[in-house]
Every structure is written in C-alpha cells, then in structure tokens.
Amino acid sequence: MAAVPGRRSSTFSRLLRHGFTDPSGAERLLDLPELAALRDDPVLLDALGATADPDLALRSLVRLVEAQPDEERQTLTATLLSAKPFRDRLLGVLGASEALADHLARHPKDWQALVTYEAADLNPGVAEFEQGLAEATDPVSLRVAYRRCLLAIAARDVCGTADVAQTAAELADLATATLRAALAIARTAAPADAAHCRLAVIAMGKCGGHELNYVSDVDVIFVAEAVEGADEGKAMQAATRLASHLMRICSETTVEGTIWPVDANLRPEGRNGPLVRTLSSHLAYYQRWAKTWEFQALLKARAVAGDPELGAEYIDAVSPLVWQAAERENFVADVQKMRRRVVDNIPAAQVERELKLGPGGLRDVEFAVQLLQLVHGRGDATLHSGKTLDALKALAAGGYVGRADAAQLDEAYRFLRAMEHRIQLYRLRRTHLVPEDEADLRRLGRSLGLRTDPVAELNKEWKRHAAVVRRLHEKLFYRPLLDAVAQLTPGETRLSPKAAGERLEALGYADPVAALRHLEALASGVTRKAAIQRTLLPVLLGWFADSADPDAGLLGFRRVSDALGKTPWYLRLLRDEGAAAENLARVLSAGRLAPDLLLRAPEAVAILGDPEGLKPRGRDHLEQEVLAAVGRADGAEQAVTAARGVRRRELFRTSAADLIGSYGTEDSPRELDPGALVDRVGLALTDLNAATVAGALRAAVREGWGDTLPTRFAVIGMGRFGGHELGYGSDADVLFVHEPCEGVDEQEAARAANQVVSEIRRLLQVPTADPPLLIDADLRPEGKSGPMVRTLKSYEAYYRRWSLVWESQALLRAAPMAGDADLAERFVELIDPLRYPAEGLGEEAVREIRRLKARMESERLPRGADPTLHTKLGRGGLSDVEWTVQLLQMRHGWAEPGLRTTRTREALAAAHSAGLIPTDEAQTLDEAWVLATRVRNAVMLVRGRPGDTFPSDGRELAAVGRYLGYGPGHVGEMVDDYRRITRRARAVVEERFYGA
C-alpha cells in the first residue's frame, strides 16, 4: 500500500477493527508484491476479519500465494476476488488451522478442492470420499489425498455449512473411506494373503458411532474367515498380516506425517488377544468371558471395510448380546467403576481444563446416554443407535428422559464437541485440553462465533454448558422417575412402571418396587410440599445411588420426611441450605446407627444445615447443658432422660460429622487424615459420655440426699474411656472412689457411695428411646469379686499390698471423668508411682506382662474368628499395639514425661520423640491402630451394633469399605490392605513387645 500521509494510521485502525492483533505486521504483509492483486479489494479485509484468527489467515494466505507457480497465482487471486463462497471457505480454513495451511503451502494446487460448491459437495458421503482417495496407491499419497478431503470438511465446518454432528459424521465417513483405501493398498501388496481369507473391519468408538473428531484414534476390531478350501490357521495368519499392514499404512509417520492411529485394543482380550479372530471365536469370547464395558463398547460397532457380508454377519451376531448386557450381574457397578477410573486417571493439574474426561465433560454425556440405552434398549429398538445425539433424541421421544432436559443436554454436548473440534483443528493434534494461552483462547472463541470479548464469552459459555452436564445424572436418570410417579404433565410420554423399576435396579436399588412406592408417597400431589420434594429428590436419589445402600437412604428419607413433613423449616432447610440435603443423603445411606439416632428425634436434622453444626461440643459446654437439664427435671429418671437425650443428639452430631468427613461432599473433600477422624470421634464420645455420667451422678445424689452427699465421690475413666479413645460401640470402663466427709461415719459414707453407684448404673440403662450407656467397673481391685466402690485409703492399701502388674498396666488409662475434682486428682497422684514405676519395670514384671498377653491371645479370641481380621485381639490389632505402647510407658514413663498420658497415639509419638522406637516402626503401629479403630467404628455405624471384625453381609461390607475410602467393587482390596498393614504391625510387636 502507498505510504500516503495519514493513510497508515487509517489502515492500522481498520485492521484493528477487523480483529487483527498485530496490525503493523498485517500492513507489511498486505504491502507485499504477491498480494498486489488483492490488497485493494474492498471485501478482503471483511473476509479476513470474519475468520477465527485474521493474523494467521493473512500469514497463511501469503504463504499459499507465494507457493503458487506464476501461472496459477493469477488464477488463485482471480478466484478469490470473484467467488465469495470460495473466499470464505479458504480464508476460514486458513484462519482456523495452521496444520491445513501448512498442507496447502506444501501442496499449492490443493486449494482447488475448495472451489466446487455443488449439492453433492455440501453433503458428501463415503462414496464421495472414496472417489477423493481413489488415486492413492501408497501411504504417502493416501495422506495427501486424506488431507485434501479434510480441507473440504473443515471448510464446511468453519463456515457453518455443516453443524457439529454433520462434521463428525463426515469425519467418520472419511475414516471409513480411508480404511477401505488402506486395506486395498495392503491387499495389492500381498495378493496371496488377500486370496486366502475374507477380512472385515468393524469400526468401534467414535468412528463406529459416526461421530469422529478431527484427530482421534480410530478404534477397530478385525474379524476374518478362511475362503472356501483354505486352511483356517493359514487364513488367520494371512488376515493378521493384512490387518497389521492396514494399521501401519494409517498410523506410521511418513514425509507427509500420519493420518491417525488405528487402535485394535477393544478386541477380545485387548492387546493380549490375537489381532484377528473368526466370527465363532468372537462369539465364544463374548458369551463366556466378556466384561460389561466390552458390551458397552459394542453398542457403537459398525462394519466399515473389507468383506461386507462377513461384517454384516458379525454385527447381526453381537447386537443381541449388547442388549442383554444390563441383565448381567454387577452391570451398573461395572459401568460406574469404569467412569470413576477414567476421572481418577486424569492428572490433577489438568482436570479443570479437560474437555472430554473431566467432570461436566463429553464422556459424562456419552456414558450416561449409553447406560440408559443399555437399560431400556432391551425392550425398545428405537434406542439402538451408535450416535450419542440420536440416542438422546430417541430417549426423549420414548419418555425415558424429559424433553426439556434432553434439549439442554443436546445443546451442551454440541457446544463442547464444537470446542473439541476447533481445538484439534488448529494443529491437527489429538488433545482434549482447553488451552491456557490468551491467543489460543481468543482464536477458539472467535471460531465459535463469540466476537465481542471472545475469551470471557468462551469461558462463560463453557462453564455454563459444563454445569448442565454436571447435573446430567439428576436430569437423565432421576427426574424421569419422579415424572413417572407424580404424573403431573398430561400428554407427556413418561416411563412405564416396568421401565422405572428397571432403571432403579440398574442404578443400584435392590428393591425397585419399594423405592417407587416411597417416591410416589413423597412426590405425588399438587401441594407445595410435594413440589419441593420433586425438586429435591432427583438430586437426593443420585446421592443415595452413590452409596453402598441406596434403598436404606431412600427409606430413611421417607421416614424423616413423614416425621417432619408438616414442619415448615424442614424442606426449606434442604432446599435452601446447599450442604444440608447432601449431608442428609450421606448420613441416611451410610448405615443404621446415624439414621436410627436421627429418627428418635428428627428435628436434629437442623444440625446438618448449620455450618457450625457438625463441630463437636466441648466437655465444659456439654456438662453445663446436661447439669442445667438435670436441675430443671422432676425426679432422677426424668433428669437422666434429659441427659441421655443430649447424649443421643451429640452421638448423632458426632456420627454425622464422621460419615460426612469420611465420604466427603461436592463442596468439601473427604478428610485425608484417618488419624484426625479417629481422634475427633474418640474425644467427642469421651466428652459426651463424661458429661452424661456427671448428669447421672448429679441426679442420683439429688434424688437421695439433696445437694450434699455424705461422702466425696469421683468417677475415674478407664480403658478407652480414660484414654479418650471411645468408639461408637464402647462401654464406659470406670473406677468409683469416695472419701467420707468430715464427721461422717465410714459405714454410712460407704452405704451412700454404693447407693449412688447402683443408681447411676440403673439410670443410664433404664429402657427409653435413647441408647443406654453401659457402665463397666470390672477393672476395679479384685475385679468382679471386689467392692464396687472403695475409699481412697482402701485403694492405697490394696495397691500397696496386693496390686498385680496387670492392674498397674490398666491404670495407665485412668483419668478423672466426673465428681469431686480434688479427690480425683489425689487418686491420680496415688496411682502415678504404680503405672510409671521408678527406674522402670523389673525383668520379672516384663515377663509377666508378656505371659498375660500370650495367654490372652490364645484364650480370648472367639472360636472360629479369623485372627488376621479381628480388630481387637487379632494379629497387629488394637491389643497388640496398645500393649506394646503400654510396655514402653511402664518401662520409661518415670524418665520421659511425654509418656505419661492415657492416650495411645500420644504415648506412641512421645516414645518416638524420645528415641525409644524408630520412625518406620512408630508409623506402622500408628497406622494399624488407626485402621483397626476405624473398622470398629465403621461396623457400629453400618450395623447399628458393635463388632470386632468385618461384616459377612455383602452390602454391609461394601458400606464399611465406602466409609474407609474404598469405592464400589474394592472390598477385596480393603481386606487385603487390612491384613497387610496389621501383618507389618505384628512384626513390630514381635520385636518390640516380645523381644523376638
């Protein structure tokens, strides 16, 4: 362009307005002599400005013009000026694809592939593409011809002549034509092999589904038969050579690059199986050995190349097997496991940018649609489509999915696929990651028609559509179930009861008939309550299905809703407080204990919606509340009923927090430190049991003596209670100590103390709606034969004269819990020299402890119990770890203050800090102790009753696994891990405790 004064700035501004980011560079390019014929064309800038990347389009145009022979250059420029469709197509491709611009620079005459604009050109099929590849006789010429065809597909795509589904279908048709051309080249190279066998190529995956990407593996399966009279073994060898050559023709890198990898790993036995099989061999495998995912993959199978009759026979033979897959055992668990594995394998740094495999990505839609096809396609042939969008449309037409939800998902899927196409088109590289670079995002946004602020608009649209997909399980799986039972929209096609039952069963509900009954009771009718339930239930059903026992979750929700349905705040809480509904779903479907506690006082559900609600209340807070309730009550039984009510509520709070921390929610990931969970539960349960005992003590004293008992009285926690390590199923081990008040007769004081003990134990076990608290005083001097309560002096005399080494060991866990603080403190001072003997334990005492432990192992393990899985007395279990730690405390506690604690983990950490046990051994013992404690807690949470070993019932075992962080289908791994961890702990115990 002539440098006229003022002209430069005018051109500069025009270039900026047309979307150029480097106007100076663009000006220089427009001034090149090669563009002399184009530079003054008034519509050239408009056409460049309409592309995804005007700078790239102009640079690529210059390269193309420069590459033309002199006689062709004029033809190209003249065609550009005179033919608007050609101009839009060529510049559209040049502005969207650097890779295709490179191809045009290498093959300057291929621009002519974009000139034709006839009806057949607008909707090409396999025949047209075969014609375009007809002259290819080797891998190099096949690549050149393939890219020439690809130019035309990309031009229709970027100009909007073809939508995303048509583009994907055209790419699949081009792949079909390419596979046929590659097979023809392989046959020509080995005519003898071709004469020996009939070979058919079955497309799978996106190629089979007629929805291929620009750059993708082309998944195939090869099936072959010997020609009449040929030896089958030799025919299979010949077919294998042909198939291998076909794969190399497409996959290998040449001077013209590669086309795409041909992947045959979806074949029977994957890469370990033969590349080619006969039809009967395929069928034998599918009928006997195939896994669920293999039938899901066959849903997209399509014969595309080779012997058409053999291909058709293969499809006819495997299709019935596909539609029987949903009847297989573990069908849904298999599908869900496969989906989780895909997500788990994405590097964490890429999850948010992953367009295909991440949450809210393309694979979510494809998996969900395929699952519904397999569930309902058994009885409805209209669902038998390999195309995701066609199948989604058929699901909506059949009433399996709501029409509005299907339309939203259709739009989201199209947008995400369009993003994927344009990302891949730029460099013709296989990727599903959204770029991070600003320029790449700008080009991507503009290519999708977002021109005002391409990057911001792109991110907004992407997030909007991904959010729709994230909620697709609610939309596709569960909302139609509600529509089926509520029947509110006349004329809308909806699921039949049979189809609804099949779907619930496929989603993990063991009793679909009962589940539908619950849904009908909750969601039917035109009341405001039913309307809110219809909003909540699709989401809740998904959370229930994600648990080990969906049926229990739904039943529990119905019972809570029946109890609180007339309460105005209940449904409002679940609808408006984001976390409340999910927290409730997790708690109701994780086992029996927490739902049973909740159903005794359903108003405790409010805890789940309060951000502070799941935090444990401290000892002082609880004791204050319990003692205030006792003070207001009429009589001891009413007082302790109030105290036990507080305990029940706090048990629910603790168990709910534990379950939600163990499972995690959408907003807060699960707690990754199991030790922290164990400590939190142990401390919370200890605090609330101590407060409950304090309340029972106050009630018993007030009932019999008013405000003043004639003797000072204290309750000392022992065992797990004293160690602040209680589990959900633990009794409260205690010692009772008293000291007569001044001037009170010792016998009168003893009578009063014994009456108080009897009354405390009675009150805490009176049958009520609240769980009892069992008081166990068997660790007292002389055990069951000794008096239930002693004076401090009596304890002193006994311990001085008669105390055995096991009693000193038991006192390591002694800690004040309730009653007279001064008396309790003096009791602790009395026992410290016993539990932390000066200069440590003598060798005889050590031998005695080892003898006791060995005897306990041989005598106390229940008959028939597996010693490798018993959490308390088994190999490497709680007893092993605790006795090892306690031996260290008794030997070294006199010299190491850190060891003077009632808590196992604290003592173990102190022993490590003091150099008494190496790091790896301390970690091994700690890991085993935490795991055994969590298993015991899990058993109580799941079964509602205590147990020391893994449940035998499959559902209960799966629920324990989920609590411990193992996904569906991984219970075997959980049990193996438990055995491995406790076996290592036992090896440490053998050395550190037994001195082996």
Side-chain angles (χ1 to χ4, degrees), residues 14 38-46:
R14 286 174 63 210
L38 296 170
R39 72 166 68 110
D40 294 322
D41 177 46
V43 292
L44 178 64
L45 277 187
D46 291 340

Side-chain angles (χ1 to χ4, degrees), residues 263-502:
D263 188 340
N265 287 337
L266 292 177
R267 67 186 183 268
E269 298 179 76
R271 63 187 60 188
N272 298 321
L275 182 63
V276 181
R277 288 175 184 256
T278 61
L279 178 57
S280 59
S281 173
H282 276 282
L283 288 176
Y285 173 84
Y286 286 126
Q287 285 163 350
R288 194 155 178 211
W289 304 111
K291 297 183 174 65
T292 301
W293 70 262
E294 293 176 279
F295 294 110
Q296 188 178 357
L298 283 171
L299 195 148
K300 292 186 178 292
R302 183 170 64 95
V304 291
D307 190 301
E309 287 180 16
L310 179 57
E313 284 175 46
Y314 177 90
I315 298 299
D316 290 345
V318 299
S319 287
L321 303 177
V322 172
W323 305 111
Q324 292 160 15
E327 295 163 15
R328 293 165 57 86
E329 200 178 347
N330 299 325
F331 165 69
V332 176
D334 288 347
V335 174
Q336 289 174 341
K337 202 189 310 176
M338 199 170 147
R339 169 74 192 116
R340 258 186 291 271
R341 194 182 304 129
V342 168
V343 176
D344 290 346
N345 287 339
I346 304 171
Q350 296 180 356
V351 167
E352 290 306 313
R353 295 191 296 124
E354 175 60 65
L355 200 57
K356 178 181 177 182
L357 304 177
L362 292 160
R363 184 61 62 89
D364 270 345
V365 182
E366 291 156 4
F367 260 63
V369 168
Q370 287 165 28
L371 179 56
L372 289 180
Q373 283 181 275
L374 292 173
V375 169
H376 299 299
R378 286 177 280 183
D380 188 344
T382 64
L383 304 181
H384 296 190
S385 171
K387 294 183 181 178
T388 301
L389 291 175
D390 286 359
L392 185 57
K393 190 175 174 184
L395 285 164
Y400 303 102
V401 173
R403 289 181 188 274
D405 289 334
Q408 249 193 324
L409 274 169
D410 181 285
E411 183 192 0
Y413 186 75
R414 286 174 186 273
F415 182 83
L416 296 173
R417 279 304 299 271
M419 275 183 77
E420 182 184 42
H421 277 185
R422 302 299 161 79
I423 290 167
Q424 293 185 349
L425 178 59
Y426 176 50
R427 287 208 172 104
L428 287 182
R429 285 185 187 161
R430 183 185 175 208
T431 179
H432 311 288
L433 289 179
V434 177
E436 293 177 292
D437 181 74
E438 185 88 5
D440 290 333
L441 289 169
R442 183 175 183 274
R443 181 191 325 102
L444 179 56
R446 284 176 60 89
S447 78
L448 296 168
L450 308 171
R451 297 298 168 95
T452 310
D453 184 352
V455 177
E457 290 176 71
L458 173 68
N459 280 320
K460 183 181 173 187
E461 285 297 290
W462 174 31
K463 299 302 178 201
R464 179 172 74 85
H465 288 299
V468 168
V469 176
R470 272 193 177 96
R471 294 184 61 200
L472 72 82
H473 288 87
E474 169 195 336
K475 293 170 183 296
L476 291 194
F477 295 164
Y478 304 111
R479 196 175 289 170
L481 291 166
L482 273 296
D483 293 340
V485 295
Q487 301 187 351
L488 290 176
T489 318
E492 174 88 10
T493 312
R494 59 175 66 89
L495 286 178
S496 67
K498 181 179 180 229
E502 285 173 346

